[in-house]
Amino acid sequence: MSDIIPKDTLLWKLKLLKSASAYANSRLHAVKAEVLVLASGKDNMLPSEDEAKRLNNSLQNCIVRNFKDNGHTLLLEEGISLLTIIKGTCKYRRSRKLDSVADFLPPSRQEFKYAFDQVVGLLRVASSSVMLSTLEDGKIVKGLAGVPNEGPVLLVGYHMLLGFELYSLVEEFLREKNIMVHGIAHPEIFLGRLENSSNEFGMTDWLKVMGAVPVAARNLFKLLSTKSHVLLYPGGAREALHYKGEEYKLFWPEQQEFVRMAARFGATIVPFGAVGEDDIADLVLDYKDLMSIPVINDYVRELARDTVNIRDETRGEVANQALFFPGLLPKVPGRFYYLEVSLKDKENANELYLHIKSQVERCLDYLLKKREEDPYRNIIDRTAYRAVYGDEVPTFKLD
């Protein structure tokens, strides 16, 4: 450096830099603007991760995303899209306040491919989902031909353990119908408290990129009014975080939260069932087990204390479900099965609500019974079939 810049000039510049950085650092606490900091894990020129932590502690409204496998030229490297990061951290908006519906940008082809090949690719290959739907004449067919292309459409169903069924469902609608399904998601996903300590661009960010919106009546109103396809789980976190022995049991509130709004917009309601969680993993530690373990139970209580209650007016266990991560024991993968059934109109809201619930239960019962007839339910059999015949693996005979 001294061969390029005279020594006195270099020392003057370093002093100037030190003075300027001290002035800027002393005023970081006063910055109220939203800040997004991107840090590289393999930056050999600057301590990116340490600097990101410092900025996160100094700034009032800062979000950090670490990319552990990238170097100094982060935004020039393959697999990194600044627009994807901005969308995933909810920094893209058309006004001062974020509107999850109006500000949504559909995923690009590159984002679609990366999300389903890299992010959830292992689960996708392991589960080899079978998607079925019912035509108007009652015939069950493979694919989504029985689901209307024109919205508004409200998909209402069973929430599998940890929401394992989400990814294949959203992917199939995009792949077969080129339709974006907006999942109504728990607000904690958007508040940042579920992020891991490493602050990596992870699953919660990808859920936002792929169309998830916070659960709220106004968001459901906006989606249905724009004739969107909406994915709703009345059982919510209570089903996705169920206890041992509660597989495929519905935990729906007594109130018909969505029926009247769907009727207001003339939405087609599509009840669906999804099975296969017990073919992927065994639930070994549920909420009751975790609460009996010292230290861990304190962590679960702390998480529950800060959790947003989205059903203040609802009583019972559906309204009071604590968020936690259950203990799972992976097993040799089986297969996921889905069945959708479009409903005919019914005038009485309570009657329609109970009918939707019964249809979801019928779908679950049908799939649990029919999957026993699938000769390729086991991943070993499916892998052997693909090796000989190709990618499309058949399933049980349809009625």
Side-chain angles (χ1 to χ4, degrees):
M1 183 68 72
S2 59
D3 294 336
I4 303 173
I5 302 176
K7 182 179 179 180
D8 292 341
T9 302
L10 179 60
L11 291 174
W12 174 78
K13 286 183 176 291
L14 290 174
K15 285 183 179 180
L16 187 64
L17 181 61
K18 183 178 181 180
S19 174
S21 63
Y23 178 86
N25 289 331
S26 68
R27 285 157 177 78
L28 284 178
H29 67 279
V31 177
K32 297 181 180 180
E34 295 182 48
V35 179
L36 175 61
V37 177
L38 309 182
S40 303
K42 296 182 179 179
D43 191 339
N44 295 323
M45 295 187 66
L46 298 172
S48 296
E49 290 184 314
D50 293 338
E51 186 67 9
K53 291 178 182 178
R54 186 183 70 84
L55 290 173
N56 193 28
N57 293 328
S58 301
L59 294 165
Q60 296 183 33
N61 196 358
C62 179
I63 292 180
V64 174
R65 287 296 177 268
N66 290 321
F67 298 84
K68 62 179 182 178
D69 296 324
N70 295 93
H72 182 67
T73 56
L74 173 65
L75 298 179
L76 299 178
E77 297 178 17
E78 187 178 357
I80 299 296
S81 167
L82 181 57
L83 178 58
T84 303
I85 299 169
I86 291 173
K87 292 195 295 183
T89 51
C90 297
K91 295 303 181 186
Y92 177 82
R93 64 194 62 174
R94 293 176 171 87
S95 60
R96 289 185 63 185
K97 189 175 181 180
L98 175 68
D99 186 325
S100 299
V101 178
D103 293 334
F104 175 71
L105 289 178
S108 65
R109 184 179 297 274
Q110 182 182 4
E111 288 170 339
F112 172 84
K113 183 175 177 59
Y114 187 89
F116 294 109
D117 287 352
Q118 302 294 326
V119 181
V120 295
L122 185 61
L123 176 63
R124 175 173 167 263
V125 172
S127 61
S128 187
S129 300
V130 176
M131 203 72 59
L132 307 173
S133 61
T134 308
L135 302 179
E136 291 185 3
D137 60 3
K139 182 180 179 181
I140 298 176
V141 296
K142 194 171 183 180
L144 299 172
V147 180
N149 293 328
E150 296 295 326
V153 172
L154 186 60
L155 295 148
V156 182
Y158 168 72
H159 213 358
M160 202 183 286
L161 182 65
L162 292 180
F164 282 144
E165 83 290 344
L166 275 168
Y167 316 112
S168 294
L169 192 62
V170 173
E171 178 192 9
E172 193 63 23
F173 269 90
L174 280 169
R175 192 179 297 278
E176 182 177 331
K177 289 179 170 286
N178 196 28
I179 291 175
M180 186 75 246
V181 174
H182 292 273
I184 303 296
H186 199 288
E188 287 293 331
I189 292 175
F190 300 84
L191 296 177
R193 291 194 285 257
L194 297 182
E195 296 170 5
N196 55 44
S197 58
S198 63
N199 290 319
E200 294 181 26
F201 192 84
M203 184 59 69
T204 56
D205 296 314
W206 278 106
L207 288 175
K208 301 167 201 170
V209 173
M210 301 309 294
V213 299
V215 57
R218 64 179 180 275
N219 286 334
L220 182 58
F221 181 95
K222 291 176 183 177
L223 288 168
L224 294 178
S225 65
T226 55
K227 298 185 177 181
S228 301
H229 284 61
V230 186
L231 178 60
L232 179 68
Y233 297 101
R238 181 60 184 89
E239 286 178 358
L241 299 174
H242 63 69
Y243 302 161
K244 295 176 183 176
E246 294 180 344
E247 297 85 358
Y248 311 121
K249 181 179 178 181
L250 300 186
F251 293 91
W252 289 18
E254 295 180 1
Q255 297 181 1
Q256 305 89 26
E257 298 171 308
F258 59 89
V259 173
R260 290 185 177 86
M261 191 175 295
R264 176 175 180 174
F265 291 100
T268 301
I269 298 179
V270 181
F272 73 91
V275 304
E277 64 177 73
D278 52 341
D279 270 355
I280 294 293
D282 287 325
L283 177 58
V284 294
L285 292 173
D286 61 15
Y287 179 76
K288 297 176 182 177
D289 296 323
L290 294 175
M291 292 304 291
S292 66
I293 302 175
V295 180
I296 293 180
N297 55 14
D298 292 334
Y299 172 77
V300 175
R301 288 193 194 97
E302 183 180 352
L303 181 62
R305 190 183 310 119
D306 298 330
T307 299
V308 175
N309 190 346
I310 59 178
R311 283 173 168 147
D312 292 329
E313 75 288 352
T314 306
R315 296 180 179 179
E317 55 187 338
V318 177
N320 301 306
Q321 174 60 48
L323 297 184
F324 67 98
F325 195 87
L328 303 179
L329 181 63
K331 57 198 299 187
V332 177
R335 206 169 190 182
F336 286 174
Y337 303 87
Y338 301 76
L339 176 60
E340 289 98 5
V341 182
S342 296
L343 283 185
K344 296 180 180 179
D345 295 333
K346 287 183 178 289
E347 295 182 0
N348 186 281
N350 185 59
E351 180 185 353
L352 178 56
Y353 183 74
L354 295 176
H355 184 54
I356 294 169
K357 187 175 181 180
S358 68
Q359 285 295 322
V360 173
E361 291 172 334
R362 287 182 59 186
C363 289
L364 292 172
D365 291 340
Y366 174 86
L367 293 172
L368 288 171
K369 177 183 177 181
K370 295 294 289 184
R371 72 175 179 176
E372 301 295 334
E373 304 173 11
D374 188 355
Y376 302 103
R377 180 178 172 184
N378 188 282
I379 191 174
I380 298 175
D381 297 324
R382 293 198 301 275
T383 302
Y385 184 94
R386 286 195 185 101
V388 177
Y389 299 104
D391 289 338
E392 189 66 27
V393 182
T395 183
F396 51 78
K397 185 177 180 181
L398 301 180
D399 296 335

